[in-house]
């Protein structure tokens, strides 16, 4: 292994930059030449490789987004697209690839491994929805962003005695909703992993009202329903004045938290070590506080699970 490349793919996440930095610096430390690929798999199919030296990743550890930029690439899903990428890497003499992204990006990386090309993945998505790891880079920052936003919304909710419905990201996973909902003391948290029971949501609101509570916060994961729909149902059934906030893409931005920088640095260095050891088709993960690695196929086959005890805790504390 002499030359490696690194790319970021799929939805960006705070912490991707410190992960790129760790891959580049660890690679150079291990005597490798490191190249950055612009715009994920799109750039890989164009052979858009930029040599990365120590200075190229200076001053990015605190920056959100990804300096390499990211993409969702339809063409790369096809065998022709994958062959193009393999040909470009061969021509440039690249003999290992680090992919920073979500489970979709790992399915793509798995296709390159099937063709014999060494790839290693680093989980980077705010959703925290990848099987085989307890943590994905960006999640902590995103949860803190949501908590900060809801704390502000609570101020106005309380001034105007309104019920606020906050819609947060997480296509198929309720992690962001659950963590942020617990941390802001939301009255109800609506996530894909638990059956939605509007009777229960209404009953909790009415119970709170009876004991003098004048404002409420309900957090809903986008994968279950829209905030607008939940607000419509609540207003219809309770007559309470509701407002909706869709936090949207602001959850993906911002300076990575200390925890995300720590995870990114550890996982980035570990990915390079795995490539150097001759591993291929694996993803770095965190399990029980330890850095581990697991085959992409396991991450693709298994389903990410949520700690439901946290859901029950949140319910029991917001009575
Ligand atoms: P994420 O990595 O955040 O889950 P996506 O699901 O959009 O984001 O995946 C990122 C990119 O990975 C896709 O745009 C596509 O180029 C590639 N990809 C996803 N699934 C596959 C697949 N089954 N085969 C090949 N490439 C894939
Ligand atoms: O990064 C993950 C995610 O934020 C999902 O929660 C969301 O549904 C999706 O990406 C939206 O991303 P985009 O608008 O970039 O397609």
């Amino acid at each position: 292994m002499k030359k490696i490349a690194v790319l970021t793919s799929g939805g960006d996440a705070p912490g991707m930059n410190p992960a790129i930095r760790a891959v580049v610096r660890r690679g150079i430390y291990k005597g490798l030449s490191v190249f950055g690929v612009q715009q994920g798999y799109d750039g890989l199919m164009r052979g858009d490789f930029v040599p990365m030296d120590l200075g190229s990743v200076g001053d990015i550890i605190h920056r959100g987004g990804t300096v390499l930029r990211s993409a969702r690439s339809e063409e790369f899903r096809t065998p022709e697209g994958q062959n193009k990428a393999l040909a470009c890497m061969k021509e440039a003499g690249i003999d290992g690839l680090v992919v920073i992204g979500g489970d979709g990006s790992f399915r793509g990386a798995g296709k390159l491994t099937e063709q014999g090309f060494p790839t290693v993945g680093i989980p980077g998505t705010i959703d925290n929805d990848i099987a085989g790891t307890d943590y994905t880079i960006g999640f902590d920052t995103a949860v803190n962003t949501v908590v900060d936003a809801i704390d502000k919304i609570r101020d106005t909710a309380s001034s105007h005695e309104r019920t606020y419905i906050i819609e947060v990201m997480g296509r198929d996973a309720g992690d962001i909703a659950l963590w942020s909902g617990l941390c802001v003391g939301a009255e109800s948290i609506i996530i894909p992993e638990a059956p939605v029971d509007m009777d229960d949501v209404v009953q909790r609101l009415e119970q709170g009202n009876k004991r003098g509570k004048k404002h409420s916060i309900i957090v809903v994961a986008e994968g279950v329903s829209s905030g607008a729909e939940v607000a419509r149902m609540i207003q219809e059934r309770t007559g309470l004045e509701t407002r909706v906030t869709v936090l949207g893409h602001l959850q993906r931005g911002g300076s990575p938290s200390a925890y995300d920088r720590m995870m990114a640095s550890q996982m980035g260095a570990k990915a390079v070590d795995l490539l150097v050891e001759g591993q291929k088709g694996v993803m770095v993960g965190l399990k029980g506080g330890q850095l581990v690695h697991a085959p992409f196929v396991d991450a693709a086959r298994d389903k990410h699970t949520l700690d439901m005890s946290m859901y029950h805790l949140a319910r029991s504390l917001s009575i």
Side-chain angles (χ1 to χ4, degrees):
M1 186 86 30
K2 290 198 168 66
K3 282 190 189 178
I4 64 166
V6 55
L7 63 79
T8 48
S9 168
D12 65 349
M16 281 184 163
N17 279 329
I20 295 167
R21 171 182 179 272
V23 170
V24 170
R25 296 255 168 109
R26 182 65 152 208
I28 293 171
Y29 176 77
K30 292 259 172 180
L32 306 174
S33 301
V34 187
F35 292 79
V37 185
Q38 302 278 338
Q39 284 178 307
Y41 292 126
D42 276 345
L44 200 64
M45 291 183 298
R46 286 195 307 267
D48 197 346
F49 302 116
V50 183
M52 307 286 279
D53 60 13
L54 293 173
S56 69
V57 288
D59 212 18
I60 67 168
I61 198 164
H62 62 300
R63 284 168 58 190
T66 157
V67 291
L68 291 177
R69 289 176 284 143
S70 190
R72 302 198 198 262
S73 168
E74 279 313 303
E75 189 184 354
F76 186 75
R77 292 176 183 275
T78 65
E80 294 74 27
Q82 293 150 23
N83 287 337
K84 254 195 212 176
L86 287 165
C88 287
M89 286 195 284
K90 191 169 177 203
E91 200 187 320
I94 308 281
D95 29 38
L97 176 68
V98 177
V99 171
I100 306 170
D103 55 350
S105 302
F106 295 159
R107 275 192 286 279
K111 299 286 179 190
L112 300 176
T113 307
E114 279 171 27
Q115 301 294 324
F117 194 86
T119 52
V120 169
I122 299 175
T125 163
I126 63 163
D127 289 346
N128 203 34
D129 62 348
I130 303 182
T133 182
D134 296 338
Y135 191 75
T136 65
I137 295 165
F139 176 66
D140 182 63
T141 308
V143 169
N144 278 291
T145 300
V146 173
V147 167
D148 180 53
I150 300 180
D151 285 349
K152 290 181 171 123
I153 288 167
R154 180 184 284 282
D155 291 343
T156 176
S158 133
S159 306
H160 288 267
E161 302 188 342
R162 286 171 176 154
T163 298
Y164 265 83
I165 322 300
I166 319 290
E167 180 186 313
V168 301
M169 277 190 168
R171 262 176 303 193
D172 309 309
D175 297 55
I176 295 177
L178 179 54
W179 279 64
S180 57
L182 178 53
C183 294
V184 301
E187 275 63 35
S188 286
I189 303 172
I190 304 177
I191 54 173
E193 291 83 354
V196 190
D197 182 350
M198 282 313 289
D199 291 340
D200 178 69
V201 173
V202 166
Q203 196 207 328
R204 293 170 82 85
L205 281 173
E206 285 172 346
Q207 218 169 288
N209 254 23
K210 262 192 215 136
R211 68 167 176 88
K213 224 179 192 182
K214 295 287 180 229
H215 67 272
S216 301
I217 302 282
I218 294 173
V219 180
V220 54
E222 62 176 355
V224 188
S225 180
S226 72
E229 182 57 19
V230 173
R232 194 189 57 74
M233 284 196 274
I234 289 172
Q235 199 143 354
E236 238 174 55
R237 294 181 57 175
T238 62
L240 289 170
E241 187 178 8
T242 60
R243 289 289 187 277
V244 182
T245 301
V246 180
L247 291 177
H249 289 80
L250 83 80
Q251 295 163 88
R252 290 228 300 245
S255 178
S257 67
Y259 188 71
D260 274 322
R261 296 181 200 192
M262 178 67 79
M263 281 295 110
S265 302
Q266 292 185 345
M267 288 182 171
K270 174 89 174 172
V272 172
D273 293 352
L274 289 169
L275 272 180
V276 170
E277 275 168 27
Q279 294 278 352
K280 54 175 84 164
V282 294
M283 174 198 82
V284 181
L286 185 76
K287 276 278 170 195
Q290 299 293 316
L291 281 189
V292 295
H293 58 276
F296 287 141
V297 282
D298 291 357
R301 186 196 56 218
D302 300 339
K303 207 172 151 26
H304 157 78
T305 51
L306 190 63
D307 181 357
M308 289 308 283
S309 68
M310 263 178 61
Y311 179 72
H312 299 297
L313 173 66
R315 282 178 63 79
S316 71
L317 297 183
S318 61
I319 39 175

